[in-house]
Structures are given as C-alpha cells and as structure tokens.
Amino acid sequence: MNLWYLLLIVPALLTWYAQARVRRVYGKHSEEENSLGVTGREIARALLDRKGLDDVTIEEASGRLGDHYDPESKTLRLTEDVAGGRSVTAASIVGHEVGHAVQDAEGYRFMRLRTRMSGVVTQVAQWSSLAFVGGMLFGIPLLMGLSGLILAALLIFTLVTLPVERDASKRALIMLEDFGLASPGEVKSANRVLRAAALTYVTALGQRLGTFLFFAAMVGAALAA
C-alpha cells in the first residue's frame, strides 16, 4: 500500500476514536444530575442574563449534537435533550454555547474571523470532492488548482476554529463556577466533557491537514510522471 494513504487512514481512525470518546464521556455525565436540579434552558437563560445578553434568544435545535450559537441572528439553539436536561453534560454544552455568545458580544477576534469565513467555506466545501476527483482522475490543471485552494481554505478554517472552541470551553467553566451554577465536583466533570469535545476539533484539524498533504503528494506525483 502506498504510504501516502496513511495521511487519510490515520486521521480517520483518530477521528473515530475521538467521536467514540465523546459518546462515552457524554453518556457517563448525562447520568450525573446537576445539584441545582435546573434544566439546560434555565442555565442558558441565567448565564445570558448574568452576562447582559438579553438580546440573545433561545430556540430549539433539531438533530443530535445540533446545539450551537448563531452569531447572525443572535440565537442560541439547543437540542431537546440539552434544553430539558438536568445533567452535567447538558450544563457543559450550554455553558460552551453561551461562551460563543459572549465571544460574539465582546468581539473576540477569532470568533469574528470564523464568522466571516464560515459563509464562504460552506459554499466552497460542497465543491471540494468534485474538484478533487475531477482534478485527479482527469488531470485538469484548473480543477487541481481549485481543489488545492478549497482544501487550503478548509484547513485554515479548521485551524481558526480551534482557539474559538477552546476559549468558549474555558469561559463555560468559569461562568458555571462563578455564577454558582455548578459545584466544584460538577465543574471537574464539565471539564472532562468539554475536553472530550475539544479532541474532536483537534482530530478534525489532523484530518484536514492529512487530506491536504495527500492531495499535494498526489499532485506532485502526477506532475513528475
């Protein structure tokens, strides 16, 4: 087997491991009820109000792990399990997403950069596979160059995402503790939940980097042939 394929296989295996770890850690702390007995929605509203973010609304999100903050509409979207959940996992997820809302309100530079990039990246991502396959199969220079640019953009976007997610998790732990919404033991559990989630972003970066390097190697081999 061509060793260059390890650039695709190894990151894929690490991503699988990270996702399995998230499921395991989330499941474990989903059974750990927060000491206040409050729901995720109640925690979210309390955190937002304490941070003076009265303009941020809370809506229901669809899909598993679909919790996110939308900076365009100033909306915090929580899945049913998280919004109605009273677990440490739910509190951790809510705290993290509120952390993004605080980043947005404070003009956190990496958050602003990611927001500006997201629209363009979403548009070009849908063409990445077509450009990659077309460029490699037919050796069309234009498609090869376009594919390289798309893969580079996706890699940069994923790299920018890392500090955004890390900072949001840091803010979540501080807010939950400072505002009395989690006991010291629950903060430790929340830290484990958020660290497991952070691993998925690290492996996503590895996967993007591996794909980009694999593409560069294939293009180099094609040009040398």
Side-chain angles (χ1 to χ4, degrees):
M1 182 184 71
N2 192 322
L3 292 180
W4 287 114
Y5 283 97
L6 291 176
L7 290 171
L8 301 179
I9 297 173
V10 172
L13 290 175
L14 291 175
T15 297
W16 174 83
Y17 167 77
Q19 292 172 344
R21 177 172 172 77
V22 165
R23 288 193 295 270
R24 184 170 66 254
V25 175
Y26 273 32
K28 176 182 178 180
H29 295 291
S30 289
E31 299 175 358
E32 181 181 353
E33 186 170 325
N34 67 72
S35 55
L36 296 178
V38 292
T39 66
R41 177 182 286 273
E42 290 170 332
I43 291 175
R45 191 68 268 167
L47 290 176
L48 291 170
D49 290 345
R50 290 288 188 91
K51 300 300 291 187
L53 301 179
D54 301 331
D55 59 330
V56 176
T57 58
I58 302 174
E59 295 181 357
E60 185 172 322
S62 59
R64 186 172 177 273
L65 301 178
D67 309 277
H68 65 280
Y69 169 70
D70 182 358
E72 298 297 329
S73 62
K74 309 297 181 188
T75 303
L76 187 68
R77 296 193 173 93
L78 303 175
T79 57
E80 183 179 354
D81 288 344
V82 170
R86 302 175 189 273
S87 67
V88 171
T89 293
S92 305
I93 294 172
V94 165
H96 180 87
E97 299 307 331
V98 172
H100 285 313
V102 176
Q103 288 174 337
D104 183 32
E106 294 182 356
Y108 181 60
R109 62 183 182 278
F110 286 111
M111 177 69 166
R112 290 203 307 265
L113 179 57
R114 189 178 74 164
T115 300
R116 287 198 295 267
M117 292 180 65
S118 62
V120 176
V121 169
T122 301
Q123 291 294 324
V124 301
Q126 59 185 329
W127 300 103
S128 60
S129 298
L130 179 62
F132 180 80
V133 173
M136 297 309 299
L137 284 182
F138 302 107
I140 302 174
L142 179 60
L143 286 180
M144 293 172 70
L146 178 61
S147 182
L149 289 175
I150 292 174
L151 292 175
L154 293 173
L155 175 60
I156 293 172
F157 179 75
T158 307
L159 181 61
V160 170
T161 293
L162 278 182
V164 176
E165 299 300 333
R166 181 182 178 184
D167 181 75
S169 292
K170 181 179 178 180
R171 291 172 187 267
L173 296 173
I174 292 174
M175 288 187 296
L176 288 172
E177 184 171 25
D178 286 354
F179 297 154
L181 294 171
S183 67
E186 290 167 357
V187 171
K188 290 182 180 180
S189 296
N191 186 40
R192 286 191 285 270
V193 170
L194 294 175
R195 285 177 62 185
L199 184 59
T200 63
Y201 294 102
V202 175
T203 56
L205 177 62
Q207 197 163 27
R208 295 290 191 198
L209 179 60
T211 302
F212 181 79
L213 293 177
F214 176 80
F215 170 79
M218 295 300 100
V219 170
L223 293 177

